[in-house]
Amino acid sequence: MPNIRKKQHLGLIGMLLIAVAFTGLQLTAVTGRASPDAKNYLSYALSLSGESREEAGRRAIAYSCDSGQHASLSPVPWTNRKAVGESEEQCVRRLNDSVAYWSRHGNTSGMTAPFANQRFMAIFEARPGYPLFLVPFIAVFGITWGLWLAGLVIALAGSVCVLLTLRAAGASRRAGLAGQALYLALPTGTVAMNPLSDGLSLALGTAVVLGCVLLLRDRPRTDGASGTGGRPGPGAWAAAAGPRTGTVLVTGGLVLMFFVRYSQALLLAAALAGVLLVRAGWLRRKRRQFTPVLRAAGLCAGLTVCIYAGAHLLGWPMGEDSAQDLLTHHYQRPDLPNPWPEFFVQEGVFWSAWLRRQITSPFLPVLLALSAWAMLKRRSVVLPIALAAGAAGLLNQAGHPNLGQLYGYRLIVFLWLLPALAIPLLLDRPARGASPVPAQPEKVGGGQRDGRVGVAQQSREGA
């Protein structure tokens, strides 16, 4: 028992050390991360905290322009790519002129400041979850430190969910810690720190992934022999949690994602339902237990329908609105009668450029190749779920084929969950099954008994 507790303490200490190291690194860039959309979420949060729409807009502009002075001019995803030579005063003047212009042209209501036309700002009005999450941080710590601390909480929460997911899937402590560190080191950690809704959506997505693993895995033992007894720790919780906890995480995570970024919630639920349905069909064909997988697929499919119906009933922008937004430069030109032919042309242009970039900078392809190797060499319940999460990232990027996002990661960020969840499994040895073999008849009290015993059991009995 002392050895078990010592191992649990080592896992907890490792998790905390990774979190502390990440926090220290993020202190080097407390500001300078604002993108053009950050001011929209910030003005929404300030309005929720009780400030007038005008004051919320003024403070959001002040933060955005100040952040721009600390941002790098290189095309990295957390900058606002400020114009070369634009001073903070010029930035404030430009955005204030934009607010005045759109106020005169009909944008006079809503929680967000009128930084653009009302139809474009409706996209952010349909994402109240992230501004609501920001309110207590801003109220207590102010805008700069509040946004930074909110991003830190989001990033660390997502990393812990990755650790718990791997542990719940049966991975070792070192694999779980590697997954946590990889999540924070990859663009998943960068996007989580940005003052945008993508990070909170990603953290909730990791909770959904954890819930799916709990739904699909075989419930392990939680006694002393399994190494999960003693005081609670990450590994012990992951081992003890059951399907009911998994159902709560999947349902609650997707419901909260609906209010943070409903389009990503819809795509994640649909991707999980599709991959799990295929998995259930494959298991049935192999005459293996498929009922838990089919139930999880049904849960995700039902939530997909609910998310789509909820967004439709609330009148939130849907797929055609997103296409028109792209093709009309944020609705500043007349709508196209049929946007889809031109939209698919843009798809081809974007993905051609994206593939060329992956060839010249093959960091992501290398990680995906390692993930594919892990899927071939390891058998883990987490792999099909990680594959579904990655597919959700690709689908989200496909819904926004904007060349302005070519150098960014935030729209495709769920794809990076695949290497964060798959590659750490390579640190563990391939699991050896019980491989039942026929046992020879054994004399018992003058008689005989037949049966099948596992290889491990035969070894113990022989010893």
Side-chain angles (χ1 to χ4, degrees), residues 126 258 262-263 266 304-318:
F258 173 78
Y262 65 93
S263 58
L266 178 68
T304 301
V305 174
C306 291
I307 291 169
Y308 181 83
H312 181 75
L313 291 174
L314 291 171
W316 287 352
M318 305 296 284

Side-chain angles (χ1 to χ4, degrees), residues 10 13 43 121 177 182 195 227 234 306 381 384 393 407:
L10 286 176
I13 291 171
S43 68
M121 300 309 295
L177 293 174
L182 200 56
C306 291
V381 68
Y407 292 93

Side-chain angles (χ1 to χ4, degrees), residues 33-41 64 79-81 115 124 196:
R33 302 173 186 269
S35 74
D37 289 343
K39 62 183 182 296
N40 301 324
Y41 294 110
S64 181
T79 70
N80 62 0
R81 302 178 192 173
F115 298 115
F124 302 95
L196 296 168

Side-chain angles (χ1 to χ4, degrees), residues 1 4-5 8 228-232 236:
M1 185 65 69
I4 294 173
R5 292 183 178 180
Q8 290 177 353
T228 60
R231 296 180 181 178

Side-chain angles (χ1 to χ4, degrees), residues 230-284:
R231 296 180 181 178
W237 183 92
R244 183 174 299 177
T245 304
T247 302
V248 171
L249 286 172
V250 172
T251 305
L254 287 173
V255 168
L256 291 175
M257 276 184 72
F258 173 78
F259 294 102
V260 174
R261 196 176 181 91
Y262 65 93
S263 58
Q264 186 65 81
L266 178 68
L267 295 174
L268 179 60
L272 285 169
V275 170
L276 292 177
L277 189 61
V278 172
R279 174 73 174 168
W282 183 84
L283 290 174
R284 183 182 181 186

Side-chain angles (χ1 to χ4, degrees), residues 41-53:
Y41 294 110
L42 178 55
S43 68
Y44 197 148
L46 292 170
S47 296
L48 288 174
S49 64
E51 296 192 10
S52 67
R53 194 166 181 246

